[in-house]
Amino acid sequence: MAITESPAAAVKTPAPAAEPTPMVTIRGVSKAYGPNVVLRDIDLTVNKSEVVCLIGPSGSGKSTLLRCINFLEVYDRGEIRIEGQLVGYSDTTPRRRLSNAELRGLRRNVGMVFQQFNLWPHMTALENVAEALVQVRGMDKGAAADRARQMLARVGLADKADSYPSRLSGGQQQRVAIARVIAMEPHLMLFDEPTSALDPELVGEVLQVMRDLAADGMTMVVVTHEMGFAANVADRVAFLDRGRIAAFGPPREVFHESPDPRLTQFLQTYHERNSF
Amino acid sequence: MKFSVIVDALPHLLGAAVTTIWISLLGVMLGQVIGVLVCVARQSGRRALDVAGGVYVSFFRGVPLLIQLLLIYYMLPLIGIDVPPLVAAIGALSLASGAYVSEIYRGSLNAVPHGQSEAALALGFSAPTIWKRILLPQAFRISVPALVNELILLLKASSLISVVGVAELTRTSQTISASNFRPLEIYLAAGVIYLAINSALALFGALVERRLAQG
């Protein structure tokens, strides 16, 4: 089967539901740091309730692309839309870059999970989860705490509500970070190498939480080096190489049928590193 | 050495020590407020605010406190503002400590990982909320040792306000030794009192640090 960058071809893949609704549409997005081009003309559509994994060697631009989706990273050309709304710029010609204040409305519907968890160390697990509910959603403290408790229970950490992050393992910290995001009921979740900073034995518990979210129908874009997760959970996988999407499709196709030599090499390295 | 001299003078000295303590505490508290404001101004990304903050810091760090104090005391009356010595003293102390504190906070803010505010930004926090809830509380924790150090320095520097006639510990020592001709005993006692106050401050600082480290 041919590997294609065209989003039109992506629509041809058998959809589970009747008509897929696009959640994120990325069209012709490019970005450069001076002479160093990190994203080249990226096209990608993520449908509602779909899990898309971005894989690729370091420096391929996958994290940058992910961070462009909620505009933590500025893209220069092209457009990214979430539920039809243009990300980061005014929907006018010529377009104007939006301020952080103007981006708040969009960001409260897009959750992000970071490689380094980024929990706030001066707050307990419960406070970490409740904070955004109070400060961004405007909930009163009691209701926010109740909801935070529910969310911690959902990631299996009900008993750690009063622990500070420094007392939690990496896996537990990342699960709190996920609870902090899902408490906001995002329409879309972005994961930036969520298990890369974890000891190997702690990776599983985080991936399990992510599997549960996927099963509940959360729309997810995941930058990951966990090929097993990509193979088993992703609806589609994009392989990025030197700022381009070099392969895109269902995991089976990308992992086993792609003719792209760089992808073959990337997977080869991965297999060698993980075999003993 | 006659210790009876010290015993006689002790009530006066201790009373003056209380003045030293509350002037210093007031100076440090006002200095905190000024320091935070200047620090936020300099990090705000607005050029005018950054420059104004920079000029402020370089003046109050670069000119000796004694000169600042005399300038405030003698200059303001020239433009028709009559400053009581106490106000001039507290003003000078807080302006000077504000300059140092803003630099302490700047360093501490740089020590807060970028991901901390990024996580808040991604959740839709406003910039003022990120400052209030995420950055400043963490910067404060990091800066506690430096702030205690600053408090101790300020308390010692408060001896300089004796020149404008505020009856704090140093000034009172001068007055007493000028009348009983026993400077050695009196200044020795004053030195011990300063040492005692600062030791207590250092102990308090260590306690606060340990409390915060638990979080």
Coordinates of all heavy atoms in Angstrom, one line a residue, chain A residues 1-4 13-14 55 231 237 239 246-265 267 271:
Chain A
M1 N 0.8 -1.2 0.0 CA 0.0 0.0 0.0 C 0.9 1.2 0.0 O 1.9 1.3 0.7 CB -0.9 0.0 1.3 CG -1.7 1.3 1.4 SD -3.4 0.9 1.8 CE -4.0 2.5 1.9
A2 N 0.5 2.2 -0.8 CA 1.3 3.4 -0.9 C 1.2 4.2 0.3 O 0.2 4.4 1.0 CB 0.8 4.2 -2.1
I3 N 2.3 4.8 0.7 CA 2.4 5.7 1.8 C 2.2 7.1 1.2 O 2.8 7.5 0.2 CB 3.7 5.6 2.5 CG1 3.9 4.2 3.1 CG2 3.9 6.7 3.6 CD1 2.8 3.8 4.0
T4 N 1.4 7.9 1.9 CA 1.1 9.2 1.3 C 1.1 10.3 2.3 O 0.8 10.0 3.5 CB -0.2 9.2 0.5 OG1 -0.5 10.5 0.1 CG2 -1.3 8.7 1.4
T13 N -8.9 5.6 4.6 CA -8.7 4.5 5.5 C -10.1 4.2 6.2 O -10.8 5.1 6.5 CB -7.7 4.8 6.6 OG1 -8.1 5.9 7.3 CG2 -6.3 4.9 6.0
P14 N -10.4 2.9 6.4 CA -11.7 2.6 7.0 C -11.9 3.3 8.3 O -11.2 3.1 9.2 CB -11.7 1.1 7.1 CG -10.2 0.7 7.0 CD -9.5 1.7 6.2
I55 N 5.9 9.5 15.5 CA 7.1 8.9 15.8 C 8.2 9.4 14.9 O 7.9 10.1 13.9 CB 7.1 7.3 15.6 CG1 6.7 7.0 14.2 CG2 6.0 6.8 16.6 CD1 6.9 5.5 13.9
A231 N 1.7 0.9 18.0 CA 1.2 -0.3 17.2 C -0.2 -0.7 17.7 O -1.1 -1.1 16.9 CB 2.1 -1.4 17.3
V237 N -0.5 6.3 12.5 CA 0.8 6.7 13.0 C 1.5 7.6 11.9 O 1.3 7.3 10.7 CB 1.7 5.4 13.2 CG1 3.2 5.8 13.5 CG2 1.1 4.6 14.3
F239 N 5.1 9.0 10.7 CA 6.6 9.0 10.9 C 7.2 10.3 10.4 O 7.0 10.6 9.2 CB 7.2 7.8 10.2 CG 8.7 7.8 10.1 CD1 9.4 7.6 11.3 CD2 9.4 8.0 8.9 CE1 10.8 7.6 11.3 CE2 10.8 8.0 8.9 CZ 11.5 7.8 10.0
A246 N 7.0 11.5 6.6 CA 7.6 10.6 5.6 C 6.7 9.4 5.4 O 6.8 8.7 4.4 CB 9.0 10.2 5.9
A247 N 5.9 9.1 6.4 CA 4.9 7.9 6.3 C 3.8 8.2 7.2 O 3.9 8.7 8.3 CB 5.6 6.6 6.7
F248 N 2.6 7.8 6.7 CA 1.4 8.1 7.5 C 0.3 7.1 7.2 O 0.0 6.8 6.0 CB 0.8 9.5 7.2 CG -0.4 9.9 8.0 CD1 -0.3 9.8 9.4 CD2 -1.6 10.3 7.4 CE1 -1.5 10.2 10.1 CE2 -2.7 10.6 8.1 CZ -2.6 10.6 9.5
G249 N -0.3 6.5 8.2 CA -1.3 5.5 7.9 C -1.6 4.7 9.2 O -1.0 5.0 10.2
P250 N -2.4 3.7 9.1 CA -2.7 2.8 10.2 C -1.3 2.1 10.6 O -0.5 1.9 9.8 CB -3.6 1.7 9.6 CG -4.2 2.3 8.4 CD -3.2 3.3 7.9
P251 N -1.2 1.8 11.9 CA 0.1 1.3 12.4 C 0.6 0.1 11.6 O 1.8 0.0 11.3 CB -0.2 0.9 13.8 CG -1.5 1.3 14.1 CD -2.2 1.9 12.9
R252 N -0.3 -0.8 11.2 CA 0.2 -2.0 10.5 C 0.9 -1.6 9.2 O 2.0 -2.2 8.9 CB -1.1 -2.9 10.2 CG -0.8 -4.1 9.4 CD -2.2 -4.9 9.2 NE -3.3 -3.9 8.9 CZ -3.5 -3.3 7.7 NH1 -2.7 -3.6 6.7 NH2 -4.5 -2.5 7.6
E253 N 0.4 -0.7 8.5 CA 1.0 -0.2 7.2 C 2.3 0.4 7.5 O 3.3 0.2 6.9 CB 0.1 0.7 6.5 CG -1.2 0.1 5.9 CD -2.1 1.2 5.3 OE1 -1.6 2.3 5.1 OE2 -3.3 0.9 5.2
V254 N 2.3 1.4 8.5 CA 3.5 2.1 8.7 C 4.6 1.2 9.2 O 5.8 1.4 8.8 CB 3.2 3.3 9.7 CG1 4.5 4.0 10.1 CG2 2.3 4.3 9.1
F255 N 4.3 0.3 10.1 CA 5.4 -0.5 10.7 C 5.8 -1.6 9.8 O 7.0 -2.1 9.9 CB 4.9 -1.1 12.0 CG 4.9 0.0 13.1 CD1 3.7 0.1 13.9 CD2 6.0 0.8 13.4 CE1 3.7 1.1 14.9 CE2 5.9 1.7 14.4 CZ 4.8 1.9 15.1
H256 N 4.9 -2.2 8.9 CA 5.3 -3.4 8.2 C 5.4 -3.2 6.7 O 6.0 -4.0 6.0 CB 4.4 -4.5 8.6 CG 4.4 -4.8 10.0 ND1 5.5 -5.3 10.7 CD2 3.4 -4.7 11.0 CE1 5.2 -5.5 11.9 NE2 3.9 -5.1 12.2
E257 N 4.7 -2.2 6.2 CA 4.6 -2.2 4.7 C 5.2 -0.9 4.1 O 5.1 -0.7 2.9 CB 3.1 -2.3 4.3 CG 2.5 -3.6 4.7 CD 0.9 -3.5 4.7 OE1 0.4 -2.7 4.0 OE2 0.3 -4.3 5.5
S258 N 5.8 -0.1 4.9 CA 6.3 1.2 4.3 C 7.6 0.9 3.6 O 8.5 0.2 4.1 CB 6.6 2.2 5.4 OG 7.3 3.3 4.9
P259 N 7.8 1.5 2.4 CA 9.0 1.3 1.6 C 10.0 2.4 2.0 O 11.2 2.3 1.6 CB 8.5 1.6 0.2 CG 7.4 2.5 0.3 CD 6.7 2.3 1.7
D260 N 9.7 3.3 2.9 CA 10.6 4.4 3.2 C 11.9 3.9 3.9 O 11.8 3.3 5.0 CB 9.9 5.4 4.1 CG 10.7 6.7 4.3 OD1 11.6 6.7 5.2 OD2 10.5 7.7 3.6
P261 N 13.0 4.1 3.3 CA 14.3 3.6 3.8 C 14.6 4.1 5.2 O 15.1 3.4 6.1 CB 15.3 3.9 2.8 CG 14.8 5.0 2.0 CD 13.3 4.9 2.0
R262 N 14.3 5.4 5.4 CA 14.6 6.1 6.7 C 13.8 5.5 7.8 O 14.2 5.3 8.9 CB 14.3 7.6 6.6 CG 15.2 8.3 5.6 CD 16.5 8.7 6.1 NE 16.4 9.6 7.2 CZ 17.4 10.2 7.9 NH1 18.6 9.8 7.5 NH2 17.2 11.0 8.9
L263 N 12.5 5.1 7.5 CA 11.6 4.5 8.5 C 12.1 3.1 8.8 O 12.2 2.7 10.0 CB 10.2 4.5 7.9 CG 9.2 3.7 8.8 CD1 9.1 4.2 10.2 CD2 7.8 3.8 8.1
T264 N 12.5 2.4 7.8 CA 13.1 1.0 8.0 C 14.3 1.1 8.9 O 14.4 0.3 9.8 CB 13.5 0.4 6.6 OG1 12.4 0.6 5.7 CG2 13.7 -1.1 6.8
Q265 N 15.1 2.0 8.6 CA 16.3 2.2 9.4 C 16.0 2.6 10.9 O 16.5 2.0 11.8 CB 17.2 3.3 8.8 CG 18.6 3.4 9.4 CD 19.3 4.7 9.0 OE1 18.8 5.5 8.1 NE2 20.4 5.0 9.6
L267 N 13.2 1.9 12.5 CA 12.6 0.8 13.2 C 13.6 -0.2 13.5 O 13.6 -0.9 14.6 CB 11.5 0.2 12.3 CG 10.2 1.1 12.2 CD1 9.3 0.5 11.2 CD2 9.5 1.3 13.5
H271 N 14.5 -1.8 17.1 CA 14.4 -3.2 17.4 C 15.7 -3.7 18.1 O 15.7 -4.4 19.0 CB 14.2 -4.1 16.1 CG 12.7 -4.1 15.7 ND1 11.8 -4.5 16.6 CD2 12.1 -3.7 14.6 CE1 10.6 -4.4 15.9 NE2 10.8 -3.9 14.7

